[in-house]
Amino acid sequence: MEAPEWLDNAVDLGTSIMAVEFDGGVIMGADSRTTTGAYIANRVTNKITPIHERIYCCRSGSAADTQAISDYVRYYLEMHTFINHFIFNNNNNNNNNNNNNNNNNNNNNNNNNNNNNNIYRSELCDDPDVKTAASLFQLLCYSNKNNLMAGIIVAGWDKHQGGSVYNISLGGSMVKQPFAIGGSGSTYIYGYCDSKFKPNMTKDECIEFVQNSLALAMFRDGSSGGVIRLCIIDKNGVERRMIPGNNLPRFWGN
């Protein structure tokens, strides 16, 4: 007796993913279907993965590859933040000791310490930028491009650039874009997205844009489906939403 076809296929995020900038943050969206060949392995997968407090990624390609890469980047960002805070605190302690030992040069030392502290605050003692996370994804994807099948959209908010979106394609290239789409369902909606996107959209306009785009992709692409998951990120934090399959936007029929 022959084994079922799906047993010989890798678990794949045949998918539709998307992220869009708006004035003050980003909207990320994804479907929830995971396939192994023609078999639907999971109907409610969460493809929007947290990387840091206000940085998330949308995953497409091999589920195992994208999960492993996301774990690596999350670990590196945690170490990056910890080390930066450690350096900042140590430099503050050293500066205080120098001040106590050099009473004759208090004014000069205070001015230098203030300048140094400003440098460390702006460059080291902050949460990581979205670009930093995207660059780590790009490094891992490009360095292992012959062994991985991973398409990643990295998006989030940081205080230097606000909301930003980076697209890391299968080969490992990284491009900053006002909006990005990916996965097998994206091939059906390039024309729709190009015609409907406009710069400086409001938050509500972006949510509607993402919902409609993903709904169209899910109707056309057999490897996409399930529910739409949304992630809204701005300076105030992260808001998650879920749109059930029976409430998806419809564009024809009853």
Side-chain angles (χ1 to χ4, degrees):
M1 180 178 175
E2 266 188 49
E5 171 262 344
W6 55 269
L7 286 177
D8 297 325
N9 288 299
V11 178
D12 179 55
L13 293 174
T15 191
S16 299
I17 56 176
M18 187 172 185
V20 187
E21 292 178 0
F22 69 90
D23 184 19
V26 294
I27 309 293
M28 305 179 75
D31 76 310
S32 65
R33 178 174 292 178
T34 298
T35 58
T36 55
Y39 178 78
I40 299 174
N42 191 340
R43 296 181 300 167
V44 287
T45 308
N46 188 357
K47 303 176 185 179
I48 306 176
T49 303
I51 303 301
H52 202 264
E53 185 177 350
R54 290 183 179 85
I55 304 174
Y56 281 63
C57 75
C58 291
R59 302 177 292 114
S60 66
S62 164
D65 290 350
T66 57
Q67 286 172 357
I69 295 170
S70 300
D71 289 342
Y72 272 114
V73 173
R74 188 184 303 111
Y75 169 76
Y76 289 146
L77 283 184
E78 287 174 356
M79 292 301 297
H80 171 84
T81 305
F82 170 77
I83 291 171
N84 288 342
H85 281 277
F86 179 76
I87 292 172
F88 173 72
N89 290 331
N90 276 352
N91 275 280
N92 273 346
N93 291 334
N94 290 335
N95 288 334
N96 289 333
N97 290 334
N98 289 334
N99 284 337
N100 292 331
N101 293 332
N102 298 311
N103 292 327
N104 293 331
N105 297 315
N106 275 340
N107 291 332
N108 291 333
N109 284 337
N110 286 335
N111 289 334
N112 290 333
N113 287 336
N114 288 335
N115 291 335
N116 288 336
N117 287 343
N118 288 334
I119 292 172
Y120 285 115
R121 283 195 186 96
S122 62
E123 294 185 357
L124 293 178
C125 197
D126 284 339
D127 288 333
D129 291 347
V130 179
K131 186 177 181 180
T132 302
S135 297
L136 287 171
F137 273 106
Q138 190 267 341
L139 177 64
L140 290 170
C141 291
Y142 182 78
S143 300
N144 302 279
K145 59 185 174 183
N146 294 324
N147 303 312
L148 297 176
M149 187 174 68
I152 307 288
I153 297 175
V154 182
W157 182 93
D158 61 68
K159 73 177 192 178
H160 298 117
Q161 296 190 32
S164 53
V165 175
Y166 292 86
N167 192 13
I168 295 95
S169 61
L170 287 176
S173 63
M174 182 180 79
V175 182
K176 186 177 186 298
Q177 298 175 297
F179 79 94
I181 56 177
S184 56
S186 66
T187 57
Y188 298 93
I189 58 171
Y190 273 100
Y192 176 84
C193 291
D194 287 341
S195 66
K196 294 296 183 180
F197 174 78
K198 56 185 179 182
N200 303 316
M201 286 195 292
T202 66
K203 175 180 173 180
D204 290 337
E205 287 175 332
C206 283
I207 291 173
E208 183 180 7
F209 177 50
V210 172
Q211 287 178 355
N212 290 343
S213 299
L214 291 176
L216 285 168
M218 291 161 67
F219 284 140
R220 294 294 186 183
D221 179 34
S223 295
S224 301
V227 304
I228 291 178
R229 298 188 187 277
L230 295 177
C231 186
I232 304 164
I233 308 172
D234 58 23
K235 67 179 180 180
N236 298 317
V238 179
E239 178 188 353
R240 292 271 205 164
R241 297 184 187 178
M242 189 272 288
I243 305 170
N246 58 345
N247 290 335
L248 296 181
R250 299 189 65 87
F251 304 92
W252 60 86
N254 296 324

